[in-house]
Amino acid sequence: MMKTGIFGGSFNPIHNGHIQLARQLREAAGLDEVWLMVSPQNPLKEQAGLLDDDLRLQMAREALADEPHILVSDYEFHLPRPSYTWNTLQALQQDFPDREFVLLIGGDNWEHFPRWYRADDIVSNYRLVVYPRRGSDIDLTSLPPTVTVVEAELLDISSTDIRRRVRRRQTIRGMVPDSIVHTVIESYRR
């Protein structure tokens, strides 16, 4: 059975930190692949400033063109909105019964996980891999058996900072793959 990590996010825009993290999580969690699940609408996030779904998807695909084990997915674009992780995982399991899906989330999301739609069902039915984030505190003594914490080197890059730098006409070289620098600049200067 193929082990597939689901790394969801708005990727507004995708950046080198996302890509490095996906590589590390694939290795640390023993996954065959990681699917970057570009989310059309996160029910827990403000949608202001979110680029068009297809543009974020296109940038992610261009950024990962040379990454054979990290794939970009528009799967949630075809599901009812808002995008609830439980619904996505259930639909994926039905459509791809030959795969074991593993949810990859940051420690900041783990802190708020009880607020997620059907959080208990997710923990009961799927493996979760949690990676630390600055400012998040993970109590290792109270983790359910399906939850594993892995260490990951985090690049100090954020999509918010990239958008701010573009608006201020500062460089973003080294923050996003060279293949999408121009698209990112043009998209956020509109």
Side-chain angles (χ1 to χ4, degrees), residues 5-153:
I6 300 299
F7 181 4
S10 57
F11 303 106
N12 190 37
I14 189 167
H15 56 68
N16 290 335
H18 293 131
I19 298 166
Q20 178 184 325
L21 184 58
R23 286 183 197 130
Q24 290 181 62
L25 292 175
R26 187 182 83 78
E27 189 72 30
L31 303 170
D32 297 300
E33 295 178 333
V34 171
W35 290 2
L36 262 67
M37 189 71 57
V38 179
S39 178
Q41 180 182 356
N42 180 330
L44 298 178
K45 276 192 173 179
E46 175 63 42
Q47 298 303 302
L50 188 64
L51 285 181
D52 176 74
D53 295 348
D54 291 326
L55 181 55
R56 290 181 293 117
L57 183 70
Q58 173 198 329
M59 284 193 289
R61 285 185 171 151
E62 287 175 21
L64 291 164
D66 296 328
E67 294 285 341
H69 302 292
I70 306 171
L71 307 172
V72 178
S73 176
D74 65 352
Y75 191 83
E76 284 190 338
F77 289 17
H78 311 288
L79 297 176
R81 296 180 189 192
S83 304
Y84 291 109
T85 301
W86 170 254
N87 295 342
T88 300
L89 289 169
Q90 289 289 281
L92 284 167
Q93 200 66 69
Q94 183 174 341
D95 290 347
F96 302 96
D98 59 332
R99 291 179 182 268
E100 174 192 344
F101 290 100
V102 178
L103 183 61
L104 310 174
I105 64 171
D108 53 339
N109 280 319
W110 179 248
E111 286 179 357
H112 301 290
F113 196 76
R115 292 178 36 209
W116 286 31
Y117 176 69
R118 299 192 64 175
D120 291 340
D121 290 327
I122 295 171
V123 169
S124 296
N125 290 282
Y126 296 94
R127 195 172 132 217
L128 283 81
V129 172
V130 180
Y131 56 92
R133 297 284 301 257
R134 282 179 191 83
S136 63
D137 186 29
I138 303 169
D139 180 4
L140 298 175
T141 63
S142 66
L143 293 176
T146 57
V147 178
T148 305
V149 174
V150 298
E151 288 301 317
E153 179 187 347

